[in-house]
Amino acid sequence: MFCALFAPIEVRFELELELELDSGCEEMHEQMSGYKRMRREHQAHLVKLEEKCKVDMEAHKTALDKEYDTLLHNFTRELERLENKHQQDVERRLKQTSAAEKKLHKEITLKQECDRKAYDLNRKKEYKANKERWKRELSMDDTTPKRQRDLTLQSQKDNLKQHEAQEEQRMLQAQKQYIELEMRKFKRKRMIMQHEHEDVQLRDELGKKEQQLQQAHAMLVKHHEKTQELEYRQQKSVHQLREEQINKQHDTELHNQKDYMERIKKELVRKHAVELRQQPKSLKQKELLIRKQFRETCKTQTKQYKRYKAQVLQTTPKEQQKEVIKQLKEEKHRKLTLLGEQYEQSISDMFQSQSYKLDESQVIECQRTHEQLEYELEMLTAYQNKNKKQAQEQRDRERRELENRVSVRRGLLENKMDAELQQFNQERAERLRMKHDKHTKELEAFDNESISLGFSTLSLIEVSREAYPDEEGSLSGSMISLAHSNSSTSFPAGSL
């Protein structure tokens, strides 16, 4: 280093140029290492973001599945509670129907017993009155013997008792038929009410299932929209990170390229400065070389002159030799002078030509270097634009692919919901049909049984004279009116 400080100016410039070239190589190597390090960092950040998106999506799907499973579990519990409620309602109505049937049977029986007691009391009064009337009529007939009157009275008594026994048997048969008919009417009405109640329960169940199906579909649509929103948000974050990384990389490349261009221009300026400083030394060496050639030529000419002089003097008389020698010396001096002038002109021409060539070559080199650097910058810019365009096309393609996936998934979801709704409607229609067929068969079987027992369908569907319990099965307000009993008019007028 100390030696370099005291070295000639030309040597110092050469050393500075070599040091700058070495530092340029090191800087280029550092830039390449920086590019590799940047790409590794970008790739690591991108992988980290993609892993985070994947974890978030898995957690999102798990939460949605849990929410949907909870909804289905709640649906199952609601249906179980509704089924238990319906079962308890059926059992309660069966108990109420059984109690109402017993109550109706008991009240009709009590009413008929009252009718029979009233009939017995009326019969005894009528019997006593007829007996007294018959005695008065027979006592007024003095022509008929007493024995004959007694036989007549006894015969009338026997006829009256026989008629009363027949009427009593007819009343009992009528009461039996009446109570059986009323009980069949009550059972038929209760069966119809039970069928209506079962229809209401079935519609409640189907309505609950339809409501649950609508809620499940609404949740699926909501989950689809949430998933779609998360997918778009994650893709946007990934695309934004990629775009930021590309912009950062391009800015770094442009900055390094501009630094490289500035460094090349500075190195070229320094190189030209060194060439200009080294030019006098180079010209001096060439001048010395030309002068050396001139001296060697002069020596050669001198040797040739001596040989030529010796040859001429051998053939020239002595009195003429002095004059010849003088002429030869003049000729030699003239030729050497001419030769020196030629070499001096060559040196002058060399100086002028070398200076012109040096200036022209430096200008050309500057121009070529500038064109090369501009070409490299344009190539870098074109490459970056192409890279940006490809990245934008890739992002657009990924967006379209995601939109297509979301659209296909929405279409599949809508098809699934339509299929489930159609299947539910078919099942609902089938269950309603089966329930209607079951009720129709039960009612037909009951009517056929009634017909086999001797009751007509018309008599079963006519309005009953009895006050049945209300539809809720309440027995507290069910009063059986005796004024509407058929048993009170079971006997023809004047039969007693």
Side-chain angles (χ1 to χ4, degrees):
M1 177 64 71
F2 290 104
C3 295
L5 291 175
F6 297 98
I9 296 176
E10 294 82 358
V11 176
R12 288 205 306 270
F13 277 110
E14 291 179 358
L15 291 175
E16 292 176 0
L17 185 59
E18 292 178 358
L19 291 175
E20 290 178 358
L21 292 175
D22 293 338
S23 63
C25 294
E26 293 178 358
E27 186 176 356
M28 183 67 68
H29 178 72
E30 181 66 24
Q31 288 180 3
M32 296 303 297
S33 301
Y35 289 151
K36 292 180 181 179
R37 184 169 58 254
M38 182 187 298
R39 284 194 292 268
R40 287 195 299 267
E41 292 176 356
H42 289 178
Q43 186 65 24
H45 292 165
L46 187 60
V47 171
K48 184 177 180 181
L49 179 60
E50 291 177 349
E51 289 295 330
K52 181 179 180 300
C53 293
K54 183 177 180 182
V55 171
D56 292 343
M57 182 59 69
E58 292 295 333
H60 172 75
K61 291 182 178 179
T62 302
L64 296 185
D65 292 340
K66 183 178 180 181
E67 184 180 6
Y68 188 70
D69 292 339
T70 302
L71 181 66
L72 295 182
H73 180 67
N74 293 335
F75 286 168
T76 304
R77 294 180 60 185
E78 289 177 0
L79 290 177
E80 289 177 354
R81 286 196 297 268
L82 182 62
E83 183 179 0
N84 293 333
K85 179 183 176 182
H86 287 175
Q87 185 64 29
Q88 293 174 1
D89 194 13
V90 169
E91 292 176 357
R92 178 178 60 83
R93 293 179 69 87
L94 289 176
K95 290 180 181 180
Q96 291 176 353
T97 300
S98 178
E101 183 179 358
K102 292 179 182 179
K103 181 70 175 178
L104 179 62
H105 189 276
K106 182 179 178 181
E107 291 185 355
I108 294 177
T109 302
L110 291 175
K111 182 192 63 175
Q112 290 179 348
E113 288 179 357
C114 293
D115 291 343
R116 286 195 298 269
K117 289 179 181 180
Y119 170 75
D120 290 339
L121 181 61
N122 190 24
R123 186 188 61 183
K124 289 179 181 180
K125 290 181 179 180
E126 291 290 336
Y127 178 75
K128 185 177 180 181
N130 289 330
K131 182 179 177 182
E132 293 295 332
R133 181 172 57 80
W134 290 338
K135 285 181 179 182
R136 287 194 305 269
E137 291 177 354
L138 291 174
S139 63
M140 294 173 63
D141 189 5
D142 295 335
T143 61
T144 304
K146 183 179 180 182
R147 181 177 178 81
Q148 184 67 29
R149 291 197 302 269
D150 293 337
L151 291 174
T152 302
L153 180 61
Q154 186 64 37
S155 175
Q156 291 178 349
K157 289 180 180 179
D158 293 339
N159 291 333
L160 181 59
K161 289 180 178 179
Q162 184 180 2
H163 178 73
E164 289 176 350
Q166 292 176 355
E167 290 295 331
E168 183 178 4
Q169 186 64 29
R170 188 178 66 83
M171 182 188 68
L172 292 175
Q173 184 65 27
Q175 288 181 342
K176 180 181 179 182
Q177 292 179 355
Y178 177 78
I179 194 171
E180 290 179 353
L181 177 62
E182 291 299 325
M183 297 311 298
R184 295 299 291 182
K185 286 183 178 181
F186 176 79
K187 290 180 179 180
R188 192 176 192 277
K189 182 178 180 181
R190 281 292 174 169
M191 179 181 290
I192 294 175
M193 291 172 61
Q194 181 63 25
H195 289 173
E196 294 175 352
H197 187 67
E198 289 179 358
D199 291 338
V200 172
Q201 288 184 342
L202 179 59
R203 287 186 171 85
D204 288 343
E205 179 185 354
L206 294 174
K208 174 62 70 174
K209 288 184 176 181
E210 184 178 10
Q211 180 183 2
Q212 291 178 352
L213 184 61
Q214 293 175 355
Q215 291 178 359
H217 289 175
M219 179 171 287
L220 290 176
V221 173
K222 181 180 177 182
H223 288 178
H224 170 78
E225 293 176 352
K226 286 185 176 180
T227 304
Q228 171 184 341
E229 181 181 357
L230 180 60
E231 287 176 339
Y232 285 153
R233 187 167 62 251
Q234 288 182 350
Q235 187 185 67
K236 183 178 180 181
S237 62
V238 172
H239 287 177
Q240 185 176 0
L241 178 60
R242 288 179 182 174
E243 188 173 3
E244 290 176 356
Q245 291 176 350
I246 290 176
N247 292 333
K248 182 179 179 181
Q249 180 179 347
H250 289 176
D251 292 341
T252 304
E253 290 174 351
L254 286 175
H255 178 72
N256 292 336
Q257 179 65 22
K258 290 179 180 179
D259 290 344
Y260 167 75
M261 293 172 65
E262 293 295 330
R263 186 175 66 254
I264 292 298
K265 290 178 180 179
K266 290 180 180 179
E267 291 175 356
L268 185 60
V269 171
R270 290 180 180 273
K271 177 184 174 184
H272 290 172
V274 170
E275 289 178 352
L276 290 175
R277 290 183 179 90
Q278 288 179 347
Q279 182 181 5
K281 180 180 178 181
S282 176
L283 294 177
K284 187 66 176 178
Q285 291 176 354
K286 292 183 178 181
E287 181 183 1
L288 294 175
L289 179 61
I290 293 173
R291 294 188 181 280
K292 183 179 178 181
Q293 293 177 355
F294 174 71
R295 288 193 297 270
E296 291 177 355
T297 303
C298 288
K299 290 179 181 180
T300 303
Q301 291 288 338
T302 303
K303 290 179 181 181
Q304 291 178 357
Y305 171 74
K306 288 180 179 180
R307 287 195 299 269
Y308 178 71
K309 179 181 177 182
Q311 292 177 1
V312 171
L313 291 177
Q314 289 178 1
T315 58
T316 302
K318 288 185 179 181
E319 60 277 7
Q320 295 180 358
Q321 286 182 354
K322 187 176 180 180
E323 186 65 24
V324 170
I325 291 172
K326 183 179 179 181
Q327 293 178 356
L328 290 176
K329 284 183 179 181
E330 291 177 356
E331 183 67 19
K332 172 185 175 183
H333 179 66
R334 188 183 63 79
K335 289 183 178 180
L336 290 176
T337 300
L338 182 61
L339 182 62
E341 292 176 356
Q342 292 178 353
Y343 272 93
E344 289 295 334
Q345 184 65 34
S346 298
I347 291 172
S348 178
D349 294 341
M350 179 198 65
F351 275 105
Q352 293 179 359
S353 175
Q354 186 67 24
S355 178
Y356 174 77
K357 289 181 179 179
L358 183 60
D359 294 339
E360 185 180 5
S361 63
Q362 288 178 348
V363 172
I364 293 174
E365 186 176 8
C366 289
Q367 184 178 0
R368 289 180 178 178
T369 303
H370 179 73
E371 293 177 355
Q372 179 66 25
L373 293 177
E374 290 296 328
Y375 174 74
E376 292 177 358
L377 182 61
E378 291 177 359
M379 291 295 294
L380 177 60
T381 305
Y383 172 76
Q384 290 180 348
N385 292 333
K386 180 180 179 181
N387 193 4
K388 286 183 179 180
K389 183 179 179 181
Q390 292 176 351
Q392 184 63 36
E393 291 177 353
Q394 181 180 359
R395 290 193 293 269
D396 294 339
R397 183 172 62 254
E398 291 177 355
R399 289 193 191 96
R400 290 193 298 270
E401 291 175 355
L402 178 58
E403 291 175 356
N404 292 333
R405 289 198 302 270
V406 170
S407 177
V408 170
R409 192 166 64 242
R410 181 60 181 264
L412 293 176
L413 178 61
E414 291 179 352
N415 292 336
K416 176 186 176 183
M417 293 190 297
D418 293 340
E420 290 179 353
L421 184 59
Q422 184 178 2
Q423 182 180 3
F424 172 77
N425 292 330
Q426 293 177 354
E427 291 178 356
R428 176 172 58 184
E430 182 64 19
R431 290 190 63 182
L432 290 174
R433 185 190 63 78
M434 292 176 63
K435 181 66 70 174
H436 180 267
D437 293 344
K438 177 185 176 183
H439 292 168
T440 302
K441 290 179 181 179
E442 289 178 355
L443 189 60
E444 288 179 355
F446 182 84
D447 291 341
N448 292 332
E449 183 182 1
S450 299
I451 292 174
S452 64
L453 293 176
F455 302 103
S456 63
T457 305
L458 184 61
S459 63
L460 293 176
I461 63 176
E462 68 181 1
V463 180
S464 175
R465 297 181 179 181
E466 302 294 334
Y468 294 158
D470 56 12
E471 294 182 355
E472 295 298 328
S474 175
L475 300 177
S476 59
S478 62
M479 299 298 295
I480 305 300
S481 176
L482 298 179
H484 298 90
S485 174
N486 285 337
S487 59
S488 62
T489 56
S490 299
F491 308 102
S495 63
L496 299 181

